[in-house]
């Protein structure tokens, strides 16, 4: 494990996987994700071993071995975390985000605050771009912050999963009796950081190209053919809004991705020569 210090003094922990010559990529997990989650480890290894990439697999703030700022949930802090990690990677790196981590990667690239971003891979960024399906409640942040401040980890996990992510109650209930629930409870407070990233883009409104004009690097937006229509629609919408994006929909892939399908698509794009 290595660490960097972000602009606000928060310690961010990461693992450096591989030492290849094909460049560096920072892997950004989604809600409840952390660097030692088995799928994040396998994805890091697949990109390092199969494509010669140096992978920075980190704990977003509020998770694992990284620090946090309780009560302060500002997307620009997480963007500054990425800037510090790029410096640790040698000054340049691609970003590979999953779910809300994909939106964070895109927002970092659009912000103008992070020099050295070379490419972006966005796997199923969960934009909600119309009102045909689930739209999270407008006051979600109020209830979420109250639950976190009160130390109610179980309630926080249940609330965020059902109201922000749209996970069915039956599935959440089944998860509560598994050993994995304890790990979800441990990172429950970090969901407020995810909501800071997502809240303005899940209102059922069309994405505006002007908001994403700063993402000038080559970008790959990936969705799974087996994922929900809401997720696939969001992926198509952001790909259309970006200046230099390509969109791929991969067969036999869902929102909980199979590494053996996702890694080759990402690895090929990340190591492709720029023209």
């Amino acid at each position: 494990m290595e660490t960097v210090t972000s602009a606000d003094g928060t310690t961010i922990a990461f693992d450096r996987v591989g030492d290849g010559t094909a460049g560096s990529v920072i892997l950004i997990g989604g809600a409840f994700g952390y660097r030692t989650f088995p799928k994040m480890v396998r994805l890091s290894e697949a990109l390092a071993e199969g494509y010669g990439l140096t992978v920075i697999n980190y704990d977003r703030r509020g998770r694992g071995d990284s620090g946090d700022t309780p009560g302060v949930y500002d997307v620009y802090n997480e963007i500054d975390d990425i800037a510090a990690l790029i410096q640790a990677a040698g000054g340049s790196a691609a970003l590979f985000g999953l779910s809300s981590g994909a939106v964070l990667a895109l927002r970092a690239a659009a912000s103008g605050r992070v020099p050295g971003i070379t490419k972006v891979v966005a796997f199923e960024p969960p934009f909600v771009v119309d009102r045909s399906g689930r739209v999270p409640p407008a006051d979600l942040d109020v209830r979420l912050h109250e639950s976190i401040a009160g130390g109610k980890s179980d309630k926080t996990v249940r609330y965020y999963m059902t109201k922000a992510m749209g996970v069915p109650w039956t599935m959440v209930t089944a998860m509560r009796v598994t050993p994995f629930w304890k790990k979800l409870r441990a990172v429950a407070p970090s969901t407020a950081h995810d909501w800071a990233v997502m809240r303005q883009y899940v209102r059922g409104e069309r994405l505006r190209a002007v908001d994403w004009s700063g993402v000038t690097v080559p970008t790959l937006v990936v969705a799974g053919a087996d994922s929900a229509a809401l997720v696939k629609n969001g992926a198509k919408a952001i790909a259309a809004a970006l200046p230099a994006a390509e969109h791929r929909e991969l067969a036999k892939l869902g929102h909980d991705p199979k590494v053996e399908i996702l890694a080759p698509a990402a690895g090929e794009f990340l190591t492709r020569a720029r023209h």
Side-chain angles (χ1 to χ4, degrees), residues 32 62-64 153 157 180-190:
F32 299 103
R63 314 176 193 202
S153 296
V157 175
F180 188 54
W181 188 257
K182 182 178 179 181
K183 296 180 179 180
L184 295 175
R185 291 178 74 251
V187 296
S190 70

Side-chain angles (χ1 to χ4, degrees), residues 39-84:
K39 192 151 292 190
M40 297 291 281
V41 173
R42 293 199 301 272
L43 188 54
S44 298
E45 292 172 345
L47 293 172
E49 295 170 5
Y51 297 90
L53 291 160
T54 301
V55 183
I56 303 294
N57 178 20
Y58 79 105
D59 285 325
R60 287 173 58 185
R61 58 175 59 209
R63 314 176 193 202
D65 294 302
S66 289
D68 200 8
T69 50
V72 179
Y73 310 113
D74 186 337
V75 65
Y76 292 111
N77 284 336
E78 286 216 88
I79 290 173
D80 289 343
D81 299 345
I82 292 171

Side-chain angles (χ1 to χ4, degrees), residues 131-154:
R131 293 184 171 270
S132 61
R134 172 188 56 82
V135 176
D139 65 344
L140 187 145
D141 57 334
V142 175
R143 294 185 59 185
L144 179 67
H145 294 177
E146 288 175 350
S147 181
I148 292 170
K152 300 175 181 178
S153 296
D154 279 283

Side-chain angles (χ1 to χ4, degrees), residues 7-231:
D8 70 343
T10 301
T11 298
I12 303 298
F14 69 95
D15 294 324
R16 196 185 307 259
V17 183
D19 56 357
T21 59
S24 297
V25 59
I26 296 172
L27 195 58
I28 308 173
F32 299 103
Y34 48 92
R35 79 180 201 283
T36 58
F37 184 64
K39 192 151 292 190
M40 297 291 281
V41 173
R42 293 199 301 272
L43 188 54
S44 298
E45 292 172 345
L47 293 172
E49 295 170 5
Y51 297 90
L53 291 160
T54 301
V55 183
I56 303 294
N57 178 20
Y58 79 105
D59 285 325
R60 287 173 58 185
R61 58 175 59 209
R63 314 176 193 202
D65 294 302
S66 289
D68 200 8
T69 50
V72 179
Y73 310 113
D74 186 337
V75 65
Y76 292 111
N77 284 336
E78 286 216 88
I79 290 173
D80 289 343
D81 299 345
I82 292 171
L85 289 162
I86 286 181
Q87 290 307 304
S92 66
L95 306 181
F96 182 1
L98 295 85
S99 193
S100 64
V103 180
L104 177 56
L106 291 166
R107 294 194 66 175
S111 71
R113 297 169 68 100
V114 188
I117 298 174
T118 57
K119 292 183 178 182
V120 176
V121 177
F123 172 70
E124 295 202 342
F127 294 103
V128 179
V129 296
D130 60 59
R131 293 184 171 270
S132 61
R134 172 188 56 82
V135 176
D139 65 344
L140 187 145
D141 57 334
V142 175
R143 294 185 59 185
L144 179 67
H145 294 177
E146 288 175 350
S147 181
I148 292 170
K152 300 175 181 178
S153 296
D154 279 283
K155 181 179 179 180
T156 299
V157 175
R158 293 197 307 270
Y159 184 70
Y160 198 82
M161 281 195 160
T162 57
K163 298 300 184 181
M165 300 173 66
V167 180
W169 272 105
T170 52
M171 186 177 297
V172 175
T173 300
M175 292 174 68
R176 292 184 67 191
V177 299
T178 68
F180 188 54
W181 188 257
K182 182 178 179 181
K183 296 180 179 180
L184 295 175
R185 291 178 74 251
V187 296
S190 70
T191 55
H193 294 297
D194 286 287
W195 189 245
V197 171
M198 293 301 311
R199 62 186 173 195
Q200 70 188 87
Y201 299 110
V202 291
R203 297 170 177 167
E205 301 171 354
R206 294 181 62 183
L207 298 176
R208 303 188 311 164
V210 66
D211 293 334
W212 304 99
S213 60
V215 188
T216 57
V217 296
T219 301
L220 173 66
V221 181
V222 180
D226 294 344
S227 291
L230 180 146
V231 174

